[in-house]
Amino acid sequence: MSSDGRRPDHAALVGTIQSVWATELGSPAAPDDDFFAAGGTSLAAARIIGALREQGIDTGFTMLMRHRTPARFAAAILAGDGAARLSLPHLEDDATPPVTVQQETIWFLEQLRPDNIAYQNLAVIDLPERVDSVRLADALATLAARHSLLRTSFPVRRGRPVLLEQPDPVVHLDTADLSAMDPAERDLWIRDLGRRPFDLTEAGAVRWTLAELGDGRQALILVEHHFLHDGWSLGRLMTELAHVYRTGSSAGLPALPHRYADYAAWQRMWLQTDAAAGSRKFWVELLADPVEPLRLGDDARRPADFSFTGDTYHDRLPDAVVASADSYARSQRTTSFVVLMAAFAAVVGGVSGSPDFNLGSMLRNRRVPGTENILGMFVTTIALPVRGLPARTMRDVTAELSEVLTSGLDHQEIPFPSVARELRAGRDGSRNPHFQVCFSMNDYPDLRPAWGPGQRAGLRFPSNGGAKFDLDVVLLPEARGYRALWRYCTPLLTAEQVRSLATVFHDAVRALTSAPDSPIAAVLGDVLPGALR
């Protein structure tokens, strides 16, 4: 069904899907061609979903994974799915709903540790051309007027934070001349900027700094609290900022019939429904068997209370690793992300000596119509059971993770704290009691904004010294392959250990996909000794 209510016929919709597939996959697609057999990947799937939505066709990743030919995909879209029947309310402008469960969880963690800066996102946009600071400030003000969360404060009412929208945009654009600094001094300055805390009772939990780097180069530094941020929101923000700066207007951007406050109110109501109970039951049953914590590094160094301090190792998956993952994913009719996740699980399971553990990940959680283009904290944390390593094979683990993830996409609206309350895990202030290691992918098609024809900005994510988990690996899609952020807890892991672990991961992907039917222990026998040295 298209978003404007018109119902295309099946043949027309098949033709539209074929056209999009041909563009994104680089070759014509017949009505009965399988997505993966045609060369589909995780990145291509994200681009296809985005392209269809730009044409007003409401669909999602789950539907594509379950109906992998243009003909079946079109039929499923026309039949609709459960998420398409969900709808957001329209709150009055002066309403002050409680924050979402995702936001409240972060707020609670920051109340326990006021020095916790792990939930402040730091990004550096390397601009492809010089920008005018006044025009840039105007563009930021336009976005703040367009997106209510950019002008929202979060005061505490009756012991819990609420969303209080302000009528006027609040924009913090500073300028800084860093041209006299050497690279190390500049990196330290940017890191310190990302550590400055926010006062969430004031509107606009985002700071912008236009920095002069010397030789005519500029960078735009963004510090944003996670109340306003997830990976998809960052992609939307980058895309829209470049558009408004180029054109001087928000005209041409998608309409925003809803605000984040509408979603916050909807979530609290939905959590009382039978649908929410069913989703909660799905995850609780999946994770019913308790497991011991996964231990990486020297656990004797673990502080009694998790410190939320850490660093980031920046990596890029070699082309050969990506090619191995893509090829094996096509043969198994799954995504490259699932293959990479299976290899990662094999590595951390082998290094830690834990045959049974839970692996954390993230789901985008924007199936509810009206949420696709809103800025805010929508992403849902999940935990996936990994059992029986290292006796199992890569084929088995890949198939199991693929099935669990595909099924889990139908239950992504339920926030993990709602599930965690029913799991049999004791309280443990030294670590997340449900999972300690996380592996996820930012599935926004391309985070680098286009400032002009052929002019894409660079985007970097320096560490501000925070860490959410023992180890948190985030894949960032690029035109070819992936960058990877290896965020780690510094009391537990060293930079050299994480660098070694990343290298071992590269080797493991190629080894496991080359011998998918051999026991993982046998395949990785010569690979794992190099990890965590």
Side-chain angles (χ1 to χ4, degrees):
M1 181 72 75
S2 66
S3 59
D4 62 5
R6 293 177 296 172
R7 187 179 183 85
D9 62 41
H10 182 260
L13 186 53
V14 170
T16 299
I17 293 170
Q18 287 179 271
S19 176
V20 171
W21 282 31
T23 299
E24 299 301 340
L25 300 180
S27 61
D32 294 322
D33 280 352
D34 181 273
F35 172 72
F36 292 113
T41 64
S42 306
L43 302 182
R47 293 194 298 267
I48 285 170
I49 297 303
L52 290 173
R53 283 174 170 162
E54 287 179 0
Q55 298 188 42
I57 299 170
D58 289 328
T59 186
F61 187 83
T62 312
M63 192 177 290
L64 175 56
M65 292 300 98
R66 290 185 170 167
H67 309 279
R68 298 193 300 257
T69 72
R72 289 169 51 202
F73 192 22
I77 291 171
L78 293 174
D81 70 358
R85 292 190 292 272
L86 303 173
S87 60
L88 298 182
H90 286 277
L91 297 186
E92 298 294 333
D93 289 344
D94 59 353
T96 56
V99 296
T100 60
V101 175
Q102 295 95 314
Q103 290 175 321
E104 190 169 28
T105 301
I106 295 170
W107 177 80
F108 176 75
L109 292 173
E110 292 184 337
Q111 296 303 300
L112 291 178
R113 291 290 301 251
D115 59 343
N116 178 2
I117 44 83
Y119 293 93
Q120 294 181 188
N121 179 63
L122 173 60
V124 177
I125 307 160
D126 292 308
L127 299 168
E129 61 180 9
R130 292 191 62 79
V131 300
D132 177 80
S133 60
V134 174
R135 184 176 168 188
L136 180 61
D138 288 343
L140 294 172
T142 297
L143 291 182
R146 170 174 160 81
H147 291 281
S148 61
L149 202 61
L150 295 179
R151 46 186 167 79
T152 295
S153 61
F154 306 93
V156 176
R157 304 274 176 83
R158 298 181 180 177
R160 66 193 307 189
V162 299
L163 292 146
L164 181 60
E165 296 176 2
Q166 305 298 328
D168 299 317
V170 177
V171 175
H172 304 285
L173 177 61
D174 297 324
T175 58
D177 187 351
L178 311 183
S179 59
M181 296 182 181
D182 63 37
E185 290 174 324
R186 187 180 303 151
D187 290 347
L188 183 59
W189 189 92
I190 293 172
R191 183 186 182 98
D192 288 343
L193 184 65
R195 296 179 61 84
R196 285 170 42 198
F198 287 99
D199 181 354
L200 293 176
T201 65
E202 296 183 359
V206 56
R207 291 191 296 266
W208 301 90
T209 302
L210 181 61
E212 295 287 344
L213 304 181
D215 299 325
R217 295 175 298 121
Q218 291 176 309
L220 183 59
I221 305 168
L222 165 66
V223 186
E224 188 176 25
H225 194 277
H226 231 318
F227 266 33
L228 279 60
H229 166 86
D230 60 18
W232 190 267
S233 293
L234 180 63
R236 289 302 317 164
L237 183 60
M238 297 294 95
T239 298
E240 294 193 5
L241 176 58
H243 172 90
V244 175
Y245 182 84
R246 278 197 322 268
T247 65
S249 166
S250 61
L253 294 176
L256 297 178
H258 291 283
R259 307 121 66 203
Y260 189 79
D262 296 338
Y263 168 71
W266 170 86
Q267 185 191 63
R268 298 291 178 171
M269 293 185 291
W270 180 80
L271 285 172
Q272 308 306 314
T273 66
D274 290 342
S279 289
R280 188 181 299 109
K281 180 181 178 182
F282 169 85
W283 292 109
V284 169
E285 291 181 349
L286 187 71
L287 301 167
D289 295 333
V291 291
E292 291 295 315
L294 189 150
R295 291 176 169 85
L296 289 175
D298 184 0
D299 215 54
R301 297 203 304 260
R302 182 182 297 277
D305 294 314
F306 192 75
S307 64
F308 292 97
T309 58
D311 210 336
T312 301
Y313 171 61
H314 299 266
D315 185 31
R316 187 182 188 282
L317 270 60
D319 291 345
V321 172
V322 176
S324 295
D326 288 349
S327 176
Y328 186 65
R330 285 193 295 271
S331 73
Q332 300 304 300
R333 300 294 191 265
T334 189
T335 66
S336 303
F337 171 66
V338 170
V339 173
L340 293 169
M341 173 182 274
F344 178 79
V347 168
V348 297
V351 169
S352 66
S354 300
D356 305 313
F357 59 92
N358 294 332
L359 178 62
S361 193
M362 306 286 172
L363 297 178
R364 177 151 51 98
N365 184 30
R366 288 177 183 258
R367 296 195 307 162
V368 182
T371 60
E372 182 75 11
N373 297 306
I374 300 174
L375 300 187
M377 176 58 170
F378 289 90
V379 68
T380 301
T381 301
I382 60 171
L384 304 170
V386 179
R387 303 289 186 266
L389 295 178
R392 300 180 65 193
T393 68
M394 178 66 171
R395 191 182 304 277
D396 289 341
V397 176
T398 301
E400 183 172 281
L401 284 175
S402 180
E403 175 58 31
V404 170
L405 275 171
T406 301
S407 299
L409 289 169
D410 287 333
H411 303 283
Q412 61 185 292
E413 284 77 29
I414 194 78
F416 190 74
S418 180
V419 176
R421 282 193 293 270
E422 299 189 25
L423 296 175
R424 291 177 293 168
R427 296 184 63 85
D428 188 345
S430 69
R431 72 189 95 211
N432 184 310
H434 304 287
F435 61 89
Q436 296 75 48
V437 173
C438 193
F439 188 85
S440 58
M441 182 176 74
N442 184 336
D443 61 353
Y444 196 82
D446 197 334
L447 288 171
R448 301 167 304 157
W451 288 78
Q455 291 185 312
R456 284 200 177 273
L459 189 61
R460 296 179 281 128
F461 296 95
S463 171
N464 69 347
K468 302 182 184 74
F469 308 105
D470 291 5
L471 179 63
D472 181 14
V473 179
V474 182
L475 299 181
L476 303 176
E478 294 187 328
R480 289 183 54 195
Y482 305 90
R483 277 186 293 157
L485 305 178
W486 291 69
R487 294 167 169 156
Y488 58 96
C489 182
T490 45
L492 300 174
L493 296 165
T494 67
E496 181 58 32
Q497 286 177 318
V498 175
R499 190 178 301 112
S500 297
L501 195 59
T503 301
V504 167
F505 172 62
H506 298 168
D507 295 338
V509 172
R510 300 184 67 183
L512 290 166
T513 55
S514 297
D517 295 310
S518 298
I520 288 172
V523 177
L524 298 185
D526 295 329
V527 175
L528 291 182
L532 296 184
R533 59 175 181 265

